[in-house]
Each structure stands twice: as structure tokens, then as C-alpha cells.
Amino acid sequence: MPPITHQMRSFAGYAGLPGHHDEMITSEGAVREHWNFLKQAMEHMGLPELFERQSEARRILKQNGVTYNIYDGEERGDRTWSLDPIPLVLSSSQWSQIEQGLLQRAEIFDFILKDIYGPQDLIRRGVLPAEAVYSHPGFIRAAHNFAHPANHLLMFYAVDLARTPDGNLIAMADRAQAPSGSGYALENRLVLSRTLPSLFRDAQVHRLAVYYRAVRQALQGLAPTARDEPRIVVLTPGPDNETYFEHAFLANYLGYPLVQGQDLTVLDGRLWLKTLEGNQQVDVLLRRMDDTWCDPLELRPDSLIGTPGLLQAARLNNVTVVNPPGSGVLDNPALLPYLERICKHLLGQSLRLPSVPTYWCGDGHQRDYVLNNLDRLIIKTIFPSHRSRSIFAADLNENARRDLIAAIHSYPYHYVGQEQVSLSCLPTLVPDGLEPRPMILRTFLVGRENDYVVMPGGLTRVAPDADSPIVSNQRGGISKDTWVITSEPGQRISLLSTREGTPAIARSPGAVASRVANNMYWLGRYTERSENLIRLLREILNMQLAEDLALASGTRAVLLQSLKRMTLTPTTYNESVDTADANLRETMALIFNHERPGSLAHCILSLLFAGRHVQDRLSDDAWRFLNQMEQELRPDSDLDRILESFDRILLLLSAFAGLSQESMSRGQGWRFLNMGRRVERSLNTLALLETVYAEKVERDPWLLETLLSIKDSLRTYRQRYNTRFNEELVLDLLLLDEMYPQSVAFQLNVLQEDYRSLPGHEGNYFRTPEERCILETLTALRMTDAHQVSGTRLSIQEGGLFRLLNKSTHNIRSFSDEITRKYLAADEL
């Protein structure tokens, strides 16, 4: 929280920007009536309290892993979602006017979409130029005459709204391909209702659940074949997509599986979800992927994230894709100059919600206007993306201006000019207090049987600074909640179905795709691997801090050898270092160098990578704990602070393990998560034992105590034996005790049980190769006597212990390889 100074602008000293409409105050400085309650309440709080609430909102967003991926030059990567605590407030009368305009606009665009891919009456009658449609890359010829079970072809639709200096609302852009933002709007509402609970409750704000209930009802009714419980999935491009958090969040909130293109296949003209139990037919596909990437067979052949044959399955009316392929053509700003004409042609009335004045350069007269008025227009391409930028011709130098004019002459169909709009402003909390920021409101609609439902609110975004003419998340925009005030307290609304009758009881957590199982398995392995590494590194650093290093030198050498064995690749641990300082530098690299395979940072990043792919399968708390790990591991040279960070990460890992054991249903996804942990724990323990019990190692009590400490077994050993450290007893505890959760034998029992519960074992009385690996190892351990194999009289190499440890490691690795080949979709991470 910034220090409070007298120069800070509070509500009392707030003033709007000259030449801009202000949402909170009039041009005379009076507070608008519907803002009075919020302004008075926040004034009563004061700026210090508002900053506290802002910090709390940031903490919750960071803790929840709410991100928006950016692609802006060197800054590419995940960025925590930004939320300002001061919402946009709209009165009921204002919203009613907005709602009517949105409903009319949705019906018009729905008709345009049907006409473009149907009779094309608008083009034949000259109401809409053919070039404005066919020149846009969103027009997909393969989508012509697709069957659709609903009255509305355009099911999901969003509009970006702005207010002009005279207070009138206009539509800045229309989003129909895969409109994003509704999930972020819901997250904003959830966070702000937590940080300002009494204020939100007393303000009588319209609830958002009415919109999401309409979403569920609409999707339920879109199955080509009527079924009580159609299979609905959400298609995402994957974690690298800028709005992936929203995809996972909405899938989880609505209760639908989140899938990627590789999870789906088309067979016999139908779309199937590939699961461990076999293929399951998909009825409705809610896609969050751009049109051209959906089907490499008919659209982009270089797409690695689509599903070959998807368009054919939709064309045969065997699956409903929402929004349908080809709807991206409606995002075309070249349609805006003709929207008024289309509205009058269809409805015989004017647009209730007009568009920003737009001029398409594919029309000669409009192109001349653009070229004659470059300095007062914003030039845009008709196919915007995160790589394209709005061009302010007035800011261009002579050469850039000449190039722009040449591009418009060469490719006139690709460009539009739009009038610059002085966007309305909204008070925003910044380090200096309150400051007016230009804003845009994105609103959302969903189609149902005979009309559309409008989300009562939406996603408000403000510019990163007061002088910015562009409001964009990619350019650092800040989000706000949107409060539509009701005249009476809002009713609580549930997303659960209100249909009569009791559905059949289902205790399965649902189908699990092979990709999901693969990521669950490696999530388990990397979780355990990270914990093992931390415990080993912690002992090494503790010895570095010990006063008598000579006493610990033998044990430290063994631990460094163990570290070398655990870091996966021969080049990870550098054996050439021979000084204390060099050893410390090498250890630091194994902690913080994320580009080094086998390092702790690399393991945690791999853990998070697997976790993101199954984020919708994890509980909110489980994902919260995983997300915090990356924030804990920051490069540091202070050993005490590193050790404190280790302790915090261990707590997070333990919390995640506890939640996965106690909160997840014992379905196939959980089994692979659990098997990953058991495989990794077994291999880690065997590697440690093989190092500690090597022939040339002097097993002093200090070494045995350290081994037990690494395996979190020191207290158990002392409670059992209350004696000095004995190598046979330690070996029995960590290797042979089937009742002890850290022992190898315990892991094998769990692996055997989980494996027998996987698909394909019903009625199978024969042992598979992978099952024989586990049974052989478990039998060998049960036949082992710790006193016989670990005695100092026997050579470890010639005796039974080395062969037992080596064979056990080989068998467990073979088990992992076999289940990967048999069940898991992807290669090992």
C-alpha cells in the first residue's frame, strides 16, 4: 500500500478529464444519483482502507492463479489479472436502454450469419457488398449450409461499448467467433464480493448467475439427438492461449470437461472423446478456439491443436459446435458501415445501439474519405489479432504515412478507418489516489429458444494511463466489476437444474481423456520429485551452515552423490567442482536454474505445466497451493532465506497431497496422480538407499540420521526403536515395511491396487507385463531379511542388497514405461 499523502486525490477532489464524459460525475461536478451510495460508502472507508481492499483483491487473484497471457514483445508470458476495486455503476434505467440495443443487435448479427452461410439474400439484393464478406479470412466456405438444431445460429455474442462525450453509447466492436471475457467478469464479481462484502450486498447489484444458468440451459438443448444428459465439452487451444484461465474456470464452473484437440477424434462422421474407458460420443462442443485452427483437414493444415474431420461431423449434424465454424466473419469491422441499412431492411427501424462511425476502404467513396481524413481516423485491418495494431495516422512520420497510403491502395479490402472517440472515464485507484481512466464495457449475450439473455453487467476495462487512447488487456489494461443496480434486493439463483424428477445417481467423476491421465501421472511424479529434491537440498544447505563442517564431510559427500543420481541427466550435477565455494555455486544452480533439467526450478515448472493442463480437474484450493509454489522459489543468495522458502514449499506440497487424498474422487484421474507419486517415491527411496548402502560408504550414525530426515522418518524411527541408529533397522523401515507410507514395499502395494482398478482388467485373471513387474518386486522384498542383506560381513556388490535395489529400480521403471505405452497419450514430460 502506498503511503498516504495530502496530495492524493480522494473522491472529494476527483475531477473528470476535459472533453470526456465521466461515469460518476456530471460536467458541473455533481455526483450522478446512482453513484451516490457507492461514493459515500467509499469516502467513509477512506483511501487507506481502499488500498487495503485493493491489495486483498490482488492477493486473491494471485492466489487463485488468475492470469491473462500476453504476447507483447519481450513481455510475453503469464500476467496476473488486474482488478480495480471501484466498479462501474449503472442504473436500472441505463441498463434497460443498453439491454434493448444489445438484443436488437444480436438478432441482426444472427440473421447476417444465417444469411451469409445460407441464401445470401443480403448480398444478392446489394444490401451488403460481397467483397466485404468474401475478403475477410473469417468467411469459411466449408461452413455453408451447416445444420443447426437451435433457432439461433449465433449462440454466444459480445459487444464492446463506449460512451461518447455527449453521453451516448456506441458499439466499438462485435465479437462472435469465440467471445472471451465472461469468465473474467465472473471472477471479478467473486473477488470484489469478497473484498467489499457489505458494500456489495447493500448496493443491491444484479446477480450474474441468471446468465450462466441460461448458458447451461441453452447448451443442454443443442444436442442433435434429444437426450436428458447430452455430453458437452469445452474445447481449448491449451495453456499457452491468452485466456486459458478463463477456459478452465468456466469449464469448472459450468461442470463440463475441458478438452484439447488431441482428446477428440472423428469416427463414422461422429465426434468422440478419447478416454481410458474407450471413446464416448460428444453431442455439443463449446469451442474457445479460433475458426481456422479447429480442423486441419478442411481449414489450416498446419494446425496441431484442432481435430481432423470436425467440420464433417458438424456438417452431418452429429455434433453441434458453438459458435459454429465461420462465425468469425461477424468480427469483421467492414460490416459496420452497412449495419444501419441491414437493420432497416430486416426490421424497418433504426439501430438502437449505433456503431462507431466506420469507413471500409473496399468501397471507393469510403476509401476516399479515409485517405482525405487520415489524421482524424484510426486505421485498422479487418482481421485484428494480437499482432495487429491500431494505427493513428496523425502520429506517423512521412515515410510511415506514405507506406500506409500505399498499403490501402494495394489492399483496400483489408482496411477500415474509424472515427476517434473520446472514451468516457471512470474513477480508478492508482498510487496517487483516484484518477479518471478511459473505459470500455464488454457485454455478453447467449441465445435461447426465442430470444437472447444479456448478462446483467459485463467486463469493464480501463486504460493503463489517463492519456492512453486504446483500452486493451494486451497493453496493460485494468479490469473492473460492473454493477447494475436493482430497485430491490436481488434473488439468489442456482445453476442447478430446476427440472422435475430425480436424476440417476452417478458416483463416477466422469470420463478421463488419455491426455488428462498423462498429465495427472506426471503431476504426481513431479510433485513427489520436487519434495524429494527439497528435502535432500535442505540437508546439504544445513550442513553448509553447520559450524563443524569436518564432522559432516563424509555425510555431505554421500548426499552430493545422491543429488547427482536424482537429477536425471549425467550433465546436471557437475562433478568437476572441488571447492566449497564451487560446490555451493553448483548447488545454487541446481536450485534456481530452471533451464537445467533435473533442477528444483525445472521440476516445479514442470509440475505447474502438468497442473495447468488439468486445472479444471483440481479443486480451487488444490490449484491455489500449486500456483503459490512458483511464487515461493525466487533466486536468493542467503541460505537462511532459501531454507525458509523450502519449508514453505514443503507445506504447500503437503497441503496439495492432503487435498488430493481427501478431496478428490477416486476416479481414473486420481489413480494416475496417485500412481505417479508412488512410482517417484519408490525410485527416489531406492536411489537414496543404493547410495547410502554402497560398498565404500562408511555408514556412521550421522549418515543414517540424515537419511531418515530426508525421508521424513526420523521421528517414526525413534518412537519405534528408542535406540541408536542401526543400518538394518533403517533398511527395514524404508524398504521392507509394508505398513509404513514411506517404504518402497508400501508404494508397491498401492501401485498394485491402483493398477488393478484401471480399465481393461474386468474379468482378467492373467498378469500383464506391468503387473508382473510390481508383483515380482514386492515378492522379492517380502522374501528379504534386512539382517542378511545389509551385514558388513558381505560385499554389497556380491551380496543380495545391491542386486535387490537394482532389480527393484529396473522393474518399477519398466512398470512406468508400460503404463505410459498402454494408457497415456503423450510422451513423458
Side-chain angles (χ1 to χ4, degrees), residues 693 704 726-733 786-788 790-792:
Y693 283 81
L704 295 176
N726 177 281
E727 61 187 50
E728 289 90 351
L729 298 179
V730 171
L731 187 66
D732 180 76
L733 180 68
H787 294 290
Q788 293 179 355
S790 64
T792 56

Side-chain angles (χ1 to χ4, degrees), residues 357-361 370 377-380 415-419:
T358 303
Y359 310 95
W360 177 51
C361 294
V370 169
L377 298 176
I378 303 174
I379 308 301
K380 299 179 179 179
Y415 291 92
V416 297
Q418 290 186 335
E419 299 284 354

Side-chain angles (χ1 to χ4, degrees), residues 768-820:
T768 62
E770 54 268 34
E771 192 173 9
R772 286 198 293 269
C773 289
I774 296 301
L775 184 59
E776 178 186 354
T777 308
L778 188 56
T779 302
L781 294 182
R782 286 172 174 168
M783 298 294 290
T784 296
D785 186 331
H787 294 290
Q788 293 179 355
V789 298
S790 64
T792 56
R793 293 169 297 172
L794 296 175
S795 166
I796 297 297
Q797 297 288 343
E798 296 175 359
L801 182 58
F802 179 82
R803 288 197 302 271
L804 178 65
L805 297 178
N806 190 268
K807 182 62 174 177
S808 298
T809 299
H810 172 77
N811 281 347
I812 294 172
R813 290 192 183 279
S814 296
F815 171 81
S816 178
D817 292 342
E818 284 297 314
I819 64 170
T820 297

Side-chain angles (χ1 to χ4, degrees), residues 129 157 227 234 301 339 363 400 418 444-445 466 643 697 706-707 749 818:
Y157 172 59
R227 290 202 293 171
V234 179
L339 207 59
D363 177 274
Q418 290 186 335
F444 304 93
L445 299 90
L643 288 170
V697 171
T706 303
L707 171 61
N749 271 319
E818 284 297 314

Side-chain angles (χ1 to χ4, degrees), residues 68-73 75-77 79-82 242 378-381 384-392 395-396 437-438 440 461-479:
Y68 181 87
N69 300 342
I70 56 175
Y71 307 97
D72 193 6
E75 201 183 355
R76 179 186 178 110
R79 183 179 64 202
T80 300
W81 185 252
S82 178
E242 60 188 11
I378 303 174
I379 308 301
K380 299 179 179 179
T381 61
S385 71
H386 59 79
R387 295 184 183 87
S388 65
R389 291 288 185 263
S390 298
I391 302 171
F392 292 82
D395 298 334
L396 299 178
R437 294 288 178 87
I440 281 181
R461 294 166 292 162
V462 297
D465 54 72
D467 298 327
S468 175
I470 298 294
V471 179
S472 167
N473 289 329
Q474 286 291 333
R475 300 192 184 185
I478 303 167
S479 74

Side-chain angles (χ1 to χ4, degrees), residues 146-148 269 271 309-321 325:
F146 263 32
H148 198 272
L271 183 66
L310 177 61
L311 261 66
Q312 178 66 2
R315 187 179 293 114
L316 295 173
N317 197 28
N318 289 327
V319 64
T320 303
V321 181

Side-chain angles (χ1 to χ4, degrees), residues 257-565:
L258 184 68
V259 303
Q260 297 182 29
Q262 61 183 304
D263 300 332
L264 304 171
T265 187
V266 175
L267 298 171
D268 300 324
R270 300 178 184 277
L271 183 66
W272 304 85
L273 175 63
K274 297 181 290 186
T275 76
L276 298 177
E277 292 83 5
N279 293 338
Q280 298 182 3
Q281 187 174 347
V282 175
D283 300 296
V284 180
L285 182 74
L286 174 57
R287 68 178 180 92
R288 304 307 303 269
M289 183 187 296
D290 287 352
D291 287 331
T292 53
W293 297 96
C294 287
D295 186 347
L297 195 62
E298 295 195 48
L299 301 174
R300 286 189 62 141
D302 60 337
S303 173
L304 299 179
I305 58 176
T307 303
L310 177 61
L311 261 66
Q312 178 66 2
R315 187 179 293 114
L316 295 173
N317 197 28
N318 289 327
V319 64
T320 303
V321 181
V322 183
N323 281 337
S327 55
V329 70
L330 299 184
D331 296 351
N332 181 4
L335 301 179
L336 300 183
Y338 306 97
L339 207 59
E340 178 72 26
R341 185 194 304 176
I342 295 172
C343 183
K344 289 182 178 178
H345 173 76
L346 295 177
L347 306 175
Q349 55 187 232
S350 297
L351 278 173
R352 294 172 181 164
L353 187 60
S355 305
V356 58
T358 303
Y359 310 95
W360 177 51
C361 294
D363 177 274
H365 295 294
Q366 296 181 58
R367 180 171 64 252
D368 291 342
Y369 180 87
V370 169
L371 294 174
N372 292 331
N373 294 273
L374 275 179
D375 289 344
R376 51 186 297 267
L377 298 176
I378 303 174
I379 308 301
K380 299 179 179 179
T381 61
I382 64 172
F383 37 89
S385 71
H386 59 79
R387 295 184 183 87
S388 65
R389 291 288 185 263
S390 298
I391 302 171
F392 292 82
D395 298 334
L396 299 178
N397 59 37
E398 186 176 346
N399 289 336
R401 186 184 183 90
R402 189 183 308 115
D403 290 343
L404 174 62
I405 293 174
I408 293 175
H409 278 299
S410 299
Y411 306 100
Y413 301 136
H414 291 178
Y415 291 92
V416 297
Q418 290 186 335
E419 299 284 354
Q420 297 189 36
V421 178
S422 297
L423 304 175
S424 65
C425 293
L426 190 61
T428 302
L429 192 62
V430 297
D432 290 335
L434 294 181
E435 184 174 281
R437 294 288 178 87
M439 59 145 280
I440 281 181
L441 168 63
R442 177 167 293 185
T443 53
F444 304 93
L445 299 90
V446 59
R448 54 185 179 185
E449 187 172 356
N450 296 313
D451 59 4
Y452 282 87
V453 174
V454 184
M455 177 189 287
L459 178 63
T460 299
R461 294 166 292 162
V462 297
D465 54 72
D467 298 327
S468 175
I470 298 294
V471 179
S472 167
N473 289 329
Q474 286 291 333
R475 300 192 184 185
I478 303 167
S479 74
K480 287 173 172 282
D481 194 8
T482 308
W483 289 7
V484 177
I485 305 301
T486 67
S487 56
E488 56 187 24
Q491 296 179 348
R492 298 186 67 86
I493 299 173
S494 171
L495 288 189
L496 300 178
S497 173
T498 57
R499 291 179 299 176
E500 295 182 0
T502 302
I505 293 175
R507 290 178 176 169
S508 168
V512 176
S514 298
R515 176 192 58 83
V516 173
N518 183 71
N519 282 286
M520 281 290 196
Y521 180 71
W522 282 98
L523 175 59
R525 290 201 64 170
Y526 277 117
T527 300
E528 189 68 26
R529 190 175 297 178
S530 299
E531 180 178 339
N532 293 332
L533 264 177
I534 287 176
R535 292 188 182 279
L536 181 55
L537 287 164
R538 185 171 64 176
E539 292 299 325
I540 293 173
L541 293 184
N542 275 327
M543 289 181 182
Q544 185 73 23
L545 290 171
E547 294 181 1
D548 191 352
L549 289 175
L551 183 62
S553 60
T555 298
R556 189 170 187 276
V558 174
L559 296 186
L560 291 175
Q561 183 65 22
S562 298
L563 187 61
K564 174 191 169 187
R565 294 175 68 96

